[in-house]
Amino acid sequence: MPSFEQLAEQLEPTGTALLTVECQQGVVGKDSALPELAAEARSSGALLNVARLVAGAHEAGVQVLHAVAERRPDGRGANHNARLFRAAGRLPVQQHSGTTAVLIAPPIEVADEDLVVRRLHGLSPIAGTDVDALLRNLGCRSLLIAGVSANIAIPNAVFDAVNLGYTAVVPGDAIAGVPADYTPVMIRNTLALVATITTTDEVLACWKRQRRVTRG
């Protein structure tokens, strides 16, 4: 774990963006296509912590991006080259463009200044999407990553961010996967090797202190 000063430097608001990953109604909402994952995201407190981070980012002036996974109703352009994609195509709830399934799930509040980045293919919230170009245009150096799942999309986002030269920061209590005991093991043995691991409270404390310094 970094010192408070080191974390505050990494999360300086003008050079930081918050990326929420697949925090959409069809994934973590009450009518999720993946009820086990949705239940874990809620019962663990991860979804609430994502909402707290988004609210804190809005207050601190940190740019928020929401990465949404969706597909066309006809499936055009979607992947079929892995077991996961084939299974997703058979689920009773589909992440179809323009439906409630791809709306950001409560209690996360989307502000007018937030950017919503949608992808129709692949596993990554970053590779093959507009995220990297948007971050560079915004002058982002550090990327705070939260959401689901700890099994696939979150590590994918972290690896992509690091490969592209960003400092990846992960609040471990704001991500979730299944089974529940997999997430801390993955954080400890994988993400901790390439990202700064922190907590929601520590992130919010950094932004709060920086607001006091700015106002002073």
Side-chain angles (χ1 to χ4, degrees), residues 56 58 73 157:
H58 290 158

Side-chain angles (χ1 to χ4, degrees), residues 93-114:
V93 177
Q94 292 292 306
Q95 315 300 320
H96 285 165
S97 303
T99 67
T100 58
V102 298
L103 297 178
I104 302 301
I108 299 169
E109 295 188 1
V110 181
D112 290 341
E113 62 268 24
D114 292 1

Side-chain angles (χ1 to χ4, degrees), residues 4-27:
F4 186 85
E5 289 72 22
Q6 290 171 326
L7 184 63
E9 183 177 358
Q10 289 183 353
L11 296 178
E12 194 278 320
T14 61
T16 299
L18 167 61
L19 180 70
T20 76
V21 178
E22 295 183 23
C23 292
Q24 58 203 74
Q25 293 191 29
V27 176

Side-chain angles (χ1 to χ4, degrees), residues 63-153:
Q63 179 66 55
V64 178
L65 296 89
H66 303 281
V68 174
E70 58 183 58
R71 58 186 285 143
R72 289 167 50 109
D74 62 7
R76 189 176 297 273
N79 287 67
H80 303 281
N81 58 335
R83 177 181 169 190
L84 174 67
F85 301 122
R86 295 191 291 273
R90 297 191 296 269
L91 292 173
V93 177
Q94 292 292 306
Q95 315 300 320
H96 285 165
S97 303
T99 67
T100 58
V102 298
L103 297 178
I104 302 301
I108 299 169
E109 295 188 1
V110 181
D112 290 341
E113 62 268 24
D114 292 1
L115 298 171
V116 180
V117 181
R118 306 181 183 279
R119 77 177 196 272
L120 293 172
H121 64 88
L123 298 170
S124 174
I126 298 178
T129 74
D130 292 335
V131 169
D132 180 41
L134 293 172
L135 293 176
R136 293 186 187 281
N137 289 344
L138 291 163
C140 174
R141 298 181 302 277
S142 295
L143 186 61
L144 185 66
I145 300 169
V148 296
S149 73
N151 304 77
I152 296 174

